[in-house]
Amino acid sequence: MFIYLCKKIAIPGNVRLRCISWNKDQGFIACGGEDGLLKVLKLETQTDEAKIKGLAAPSNLSVNQTLEGHSGSVQVVTWNEQYQKLTTSDQNGLIIVWMLYKGAWYEEMINNRNKSVVRSMSWNADGKKICIVYEDGAVIVGSVDGNRIWGKDLKGTHLCHVAWSSDSKVLLFGMSNGEIHIYDNQGNFIVKMKLSCLVNVTGAFSIAGIHWYHGTEGYIEPDCPCLAVCYDNGRCQIMRDENDHNPVLIDTGMNVVCIQWNHCGSVLAVAGSLKTTSQDKDVNIVQFYTPFGEHLRTLKVPGKQISALSWEGSGLKIALAVDSYIYFANIRPDYKWGYCSNTVVYAYTRPDRPEYCVVFWDTKNNEKYVKYVKSLISITTYGDFCVLATKADENQPQYVLVLCNSIGTPLDPKYIDIGPLFVTMTKTHVIAASKEAFYVWQYRVAKKLTAMEFNQVARTRKEGRERIYHVDDTPSGSAGGHLDYSRAIEFQGTRDPICAITASDKMLLVGRESGTLQHYSLPSVGMVQKFTLNCHAYQLSLNCNSSRVAVIDLSGVLTFFDLDTRVVTSTGEQMVGEQLKLERKDVWDMKWAKDNPDLFAMMEKTRMYVFRNLDPEEPIQTSGYICNFEDLEIKSVLLDEILKNPEHPNKDYIINFEIRSLRDSRALIEKVGIEESSQFIEDNPHPRLWRLLAEAALQKLDLQTAEQAFVRCRDYQGIKFVKRLGNLQSESMKQAEVAAYFSRFEEAERMYLDMDRRDLAIGLRIKLGDWFRVLQLLKTGSGDSDDALLEQAHNAIGDYFADRQKWLNAVQYYVQGRNQERLAECYYMLEDYQGLENLANSLPENNKLLPDIAYMFVRVGMCEQAVSAFLKCNRPKDAVDTCVHLNQWDKAVELAKNHNMKEIGSLLARYASHLLEKNKIFDAIELYRKANYFFEAAKLMFKIADEESKKRTKPLRVKKLYVLSALLIEQCHEQIQNAQKGKVKGKSSEAASALAGLLEEDVLSSTNRFADNAWRGAEAYHFFILAQRQLYKGSVQAALKTALHLRDYEDIIPAVEIYSLLALCACANRAFDICSKAFVKLESLETLRPEQRQQYEDLALEIFTRHSPKSNKKSDLDDMLDSSIDGKLPVCVATGDPILEQRFWMCSVCKHCMKPKEASSRSFCPLCHSTI
């Protein structure tokens, strides 16, 4: 930052001032002094001219009111910005609250304790409470409307300062003995503050000031110190909060009177006096520090004794009360900003976010891109790129350099281990320096490369892109230079730290605090030379050909050093480099011209000077920061104004200044004429001036002069344009072309139309891309307009709306332009699938757009429409793939058959295996069933049934699974028979198809055990369940008959289950012979464990010792059972009995039988559950 005194106001009657306070919101300045003096002043800077000029605008007093009411010396003045109130107090303890009414201040409330004097008053952050402390220890907290909230008498203490925390929960009381006590907002003592800054301090001291920044404009860093406490002996500590045991400590070395934070908590001003050795009297000074204790600037102030200071709301001015005067100083902050490729990049803090908000504002298109960056250190720009230097992590000393383009897109981040206090960049390099080392990064950005260039880049893309050097090293430039931080940092600092750096394509200059300037070559980074400057450089800047360097020192003095000049010293030695005689004071910014090594612009206080060959032109009043100096024009940005409302930058705050030679040339051309002007430009040649002359000559159709001027400024397009003009015969045609060249398109179009050359007017608008006007011109023309051009115009307007995603508008124009391709896209974006379908139907067969439309339907799952589109463009395979993709397998099979495609089987198999891998067996079965692949479905279903059977789950569930499997096999048989019937034609078709069907079924049955007798599993579990139901019902004879059938199904139901049930039924029926056989079978089973076998043996012994293993009832039933077991008689699936009758009912689905009596009482087949 840079600071300088700019204005002085004398208080009438030479009354000494004691206090001053600047209202941050409304801009009023209140100052109190001896003999009851209290004045309210205001500087007026709200005119349009003032906004454009910023600080350079004249600042006259718009308000100057003396407030009557105090008799003693006014010692405290404090503002309540939220409620527009001023609170003042004098040496007699009288407190007055003033209010604003119709532009003037009037007394609102008065309070006088008459016991003691008020030492300090403070409003809290929201302006609702005020805390008043008296010297005798009395504390009063009152509300904004004048009511007392609480009061307390701190006995035995002498108070002198008070401060609120930002959340209004804590009060700090400063004692006259230097202690600071922390209280809660109800007046309860919490703890004494730890004062680290007073360690080893002897002698008397008192508190000079306590100021707690409330974070109203955000913080410059997360967890930033914001509570400043300073003592009159110069010791100061800055804390993160009231309990911070590791504060930032500063010894200002001066006698401090007053301290105050600026509006955003980034700068602390400390005012006081300093004893000088040469002079007897003290010197008034104001020191400026960062929240981390770094010293920024020192401002010397005239007068005997400074008594108070106060910042303006924007932080651009500071008011100082000295004796009977108010001094104003302007501040030029070190904004974090840069300018690249028509883009102003600037950073600011917000109260709602801990990061910096970095804005990339494109001044050409007035668009802005916002990026949030944590712990931003600096912004550096060059060409089209920008480097953001940030802290990587709060806990680790690592930093990041992020290379961005002009819209804030990060291109390449680099992590470095040195703090980038100084950063500069060139077309190819980024250089970052700490106090003792510097890091060089040769950056590359993506661009199109030819194969040869690519190989070359690949070869050179090895080590050496990043290098680091210690400032005390002397690199030769020949070594590769590794990224060795240990080597650079092992010196642990240097006696002569780096204070500034700058670089060009050819060289790097590093300035050191002693005045040494080290010159390194680039890109090799070899030490070339050391120069000696007569100052401590703060800012260095090289001109465009690297022959001179501009140096701004800490006190704002600008000097120049010529790097090429060779001088002979008095001893006869030849030296390179010479200090030039030019010196300017109070300089805070400068910029060399990009195209002329002798031209530069500089900012001195509120004036901009342009120098040519070290000779100044007349100054321009402005306070802008210089962005760019090129083509005899200076672009300047009023950052002060932009940062008052950073979210909405205004193009009015970008100002272009023309330098004198450009202004003079323009005036000469206007007043004297082209011939005389060309002689002046010949004497002061510059491409911009020649272009100015060429343009002026073109306006007057002086083609010869225009061509010569274009040649001098090497404008090939201009030369071609002049040649083309020369070939035109009509004078008016030439004038129209010139108007178009100078972007006066309306005028050019009017001239073309006046000449009845509507075609040229349309051509001009087409070149400009103004298709709306083209359409207008085509429609207004007489006669038939060009249909092709009309279509082109409609399509271009459609493109305009489509680019802006206004699809509905685009559709209207694409319909008129018959642009079916873009129309399809618009329908798709609008989700108007009916419109898309209609478009597909209207297209002829094999149209190239049909596949695209089909894929649009596929993407939204509309199978039928997609298939229709694919078939229309003769792509049946894609149609089948679509059906498969959308799980429309029946449709896929149908299509595959209709188009004789053989891949359907493999497709099904692939999809089924995919489902099986995911253990979705039922989905695979459903897939095969839908696709009429019943045999594969049945195979999977039998597999599931077998697995369930082994798991011993509910028998009814297993039966259902076997029934389903068998039904699928029946469907398979039916399918085979139908297929054979269709194949064989003629008289013998039935017999032949039946035979073919039987042959095919034989093939199936030979490959799978279940295909031959699909119902075996269902029968087994049917009889198993039936036997148990009959047994539980008490029909023991029927249960035994049914259980005897189960002996045929040992391959399906475990034998132990079958014979256990048979033994149980036989025992219940007292058929002990059958029971005995069942036990013999059970005891012989190999699957039983020895203990199980033993149990069966014990049970058999128990039964058969009581009952002989012979049947007590012998009947004809045994013979019938034997015959049914041999398979001679059909079995009733309802009762398990053999059917002896000649007539019986047979199921049409499963072909199983039932007695007529049972069939008449049932609606469904007991086995397959099909309707009777």
Side-chain angles (χ1 to χ4, degrees), residues 724-960:
R724 192 157 61 81
L725 277 185
N727 294 333
L728 297 175
Q729 304 302 318
S730 163
E731 200 75 12
S732 51
M733 185 74 80
K734 288 180 183 177
Q735 286 172 346
E737 288 287 333
V738 169
Y741 179 82
F742 287 114
S743 304
R744 301 199 302 272
F745 303 118
E746 302 294 331
E747 187 184 324
E749 184 192 302
R750 197 170 58 252
M751 288 178 176
Y752 285 138
L753 292 174
D754 289 346
M755 288 184 275
D756 202 19
R757 290 299 302 270
R758 193 165 55 91
D759 59 323
L760 293 175
I762 290 169
L764 172 68
R765 289 297 173 183
I766 289 173
K767 275 184 194 170
L768 295 172
D770 185 357
W771 289 99
F772 290 96
R773 183 68 184 141
V774 170
L775 195 61
Q776 242 177 332
L777 290 167
L778 285 170
K779 285 181 177 175
T780 53
S782 57
D784 294 334
S785 57
D786 186 350
D787 287 347
L789 201 54
L790 205 54
E791 270 188 25
Q792 190 186 354
H794 281 128
N795 286 330
I797 294 172
D799 291 342
Y800 170 85
F801 284 119
D803 289 345
R804 286 152 184 78
Q805 297 180 354
K806 295 181 178 177
W807 307 108
L808 213 55
N809 302 40
V811 164
Q812 298 168 12
Y813 285 97
Y814 284 140
V815 167
Q816 293 177 69
R818 299 178 198 161
N819 190 338
Q820 291 156 334
E821 194 175 331
R822 293 307 298 269
L823 200 53
E825 190 186 328
C826 288
Y827 283 139
Y828 181 65
M829 298 307 288
L830 283 168
E831 298 178 18
D832 180 1
Y833 302 118
Q834 187 58 51
L836 198 58
E837 191 178 350
N838 295 342
L839 177 63
N841 294 338
S842 69
L843 292 171
E845 288 189 5
N846 294 323
N847 187 289
K848 64 174 185 177
L849 190 57
L850 282 167
D852 294 338
I853 293 176
Y855 284 121
M856 288 178 187
F857 283 129
V858 172
R859 283 196 287 273
V860 291
M862 296 174 73
C863 183
E864 195 180 326
Q865 291 84 344
V867 167
S868 168
F870 276 130
L871 293 178
K872 198 168 182 182
C873 60
N874 198 21
R875 287 168 70 164
K877 188 179 181 311
D878 289 330
V880 170
D881 290 344
T882 297
C883 292
V884 171
H885 176 64
L886 298 173
N887 290 329
Q888 301 291 323
W889 291 95
D890 47 351
K891 185 86 174 165
V893 174
E894 187 189 328
L895 283 168
K897 285 178 180 172
N898 293 345
H899 292 85
N900 299 321
M901 293 172 70
K902 296 176 182 176
E903 298 93 19
I904 189 68
S906 62
L907 273 172
L908 282 167
R910 194 170 73 239
Y911 186 55
S913 65
H914 169 71
L915 289 170
L916 291 171
E917 275 171 22
K918 293 190 169 182
N919 208 21
K920 294 181 177 178
I921 300 176
F922 286 106
D923 290 351
I925 292 167
E926 184 66 13
L927 165 71
Y928 277 131
R929 196 181 68 76
K930 271 190 176 180
N932 297 336
Y933 275 60
F934 300 114
F935 187 71
E936 278 77 4
K939 272 202 296 191
L940 290 172
M941 188 59 87
F942 271 116
K943 186 182 172 189
I944 292 171
D946 288 345
E947 284 173 2
E948 290 294 311
S949 172
K950 284 171 190 167
K951 286 181 193 170
R952 313 306 302 131
T953 48
K954 290 180 182 177
L956 186 61
R957 175 182 168 83
V958 181
K959 176 195 165 182
K960 286 178 181 177

Side-chain angles (χ1 to χ4, degrees), residues 124-417:
N124 69 345
D126 60 13
K128 290 180 179 173
K129 293 180 186 175
I130 187 170
C131 183
I132 304 165
V133 296
Y134 290 85
E135 192 173 47
D136 63 358
V139 177
I140 296 170
V141 173
S143 67
V144 68
D145 51 15
N147 297 319
R148 176 185 289 216
I149 298 171
W150 58 265
K152 195 160 191 173
D153 202 358
L154 306 181
K155 297 248 179 354
T157 60
H158 291 284
L159 299 174
C160 62
H161 284 278
V162 64
W164 288 93
S165 64
S166 55
D167 58 5
S168 303
K169 291 182 179 176
V170 172
L171 276 165
L172 302 183
F173 294 129
M175 310 294 172
S176 58
N177 63 358
E179 289 181 357
I180 295 173
H181 293 190
I182 303 169
Y183 281 71
D184 69 11
N185 60 0
Q186 297 304 312
N188 303 311
F189 176 74
I190 301 173
V191 72
K192 284 184 183 179
M193 184 183 284
K194 185 185 177 189
L195 299 167
S196 310
C197 63
L198 296 178
V199 175
N200 301 329
V201 171
T202 55
F205 51 82
S206 62
I207 300 171
I210 304 173
H211 192 196
W212 203 333
Y213 168 59
H214 289 159
T216 46
E217 298 281 329
Y219 296 92
I220 60 167
E221 212 172 276
D223 201 26
C224 179
C226 55
L227 167 57
V229 177
C230 197
Y231 288 84
D232 62 351
N233 61 4
R235 295 298 180 94
C236 182
Q237 71 181 43
I238 309 177
M239 310 166 75
R240 286 160 185 82
D241 55 55
E242 71 277 11
N243 299 315
D244 188 356
H245 292 299
N246 188 24
V248 174
L249 303 179
I250 306 170
D251 185 359
T252 62
M254 57 190 266
N255 186 28
V256 180
V257 173
C258 179
I259 64 166
Q260 195 178 30
W261 286 109
N262 70 343
H263 68 301
C264 63
S266 62
V267 181
L268 177 69
V270 181
S273 56
L274 189 66
K275 282 208 181 323
T276 54
T277 49
S278 56
Q279 297 169 328
D280 298 335
K281 61 175 185 173
D282 295 350
V283 177
N284 294 321
I285 60 167
V286 183
Q287 305 268 31
F288 296 88
Y289 295 91
T290 69
F292 303 98
E294 295 159 21
H295 179 253
L296 293 171
R297 289 279 165 167
T298 301
L299 175 70
K300 289 184 181 176
V301 186
K304 288 181 184 173
Q305 190 181 356
I306 190 165
S307 54
L309 69 83
S310 187
W311 287 87
E312 184 215 13
S314 64
L316 300 175
K317 287 181 185 287
I318 194 164
L320 309 166
V322 183
D323 305 333
S324 59
Y325 299 96
I326 301 173
Y327 287 91
F328 292 95
N330 280 347
I331 288 153
R332 308 312 297 129
D334 283 336
Y335 293 119
K336 291 175 170 57
W337 81 286
Y339 179 82
C340 61
S341 176
N342 289 316
T343 301
V344 176
V345 187
Y346 58 90
Y348 67 98
T349 54
R350 288 170 52 152
D352 58 337
R353 293 193 72 126
E355 312 101 325
Y356 266 95
C357 180
V358 182
V359 179
F360 291 77
W361 174 38
D362 180 349
T363 57
K364 198 172 184 180
N365 304 319
N366 205 21
E367 292 175 352
K368 64 186 181 69
Y369 308 88
V370 178
K371 184 181 176 70
Y372 291 96
V373 181
K374 205 172 178 184
S375 302
L376 180 71
I377 299 167
S378 66
I379 296 173
T380 312
T381 52
Y382 187 91
D384 296 338
F385 301 100
C386 159
V387 167
L388 306 177
T390 68
K391 209 170 176 183
D393 190 2
E394 292 161 30
N395 307 321
Q396 296 177 342
Q398 200 179 29
Y399 304 86
V400 196
L401 300 176
V402 185
L403 182 72
C404 300
N405 62 12
S406 59
I407 59 168
T409 309
L411 304 175
D412 197 0
K414 288 290 177 204
Y415 285 79
I416 60 172
D417 290 345

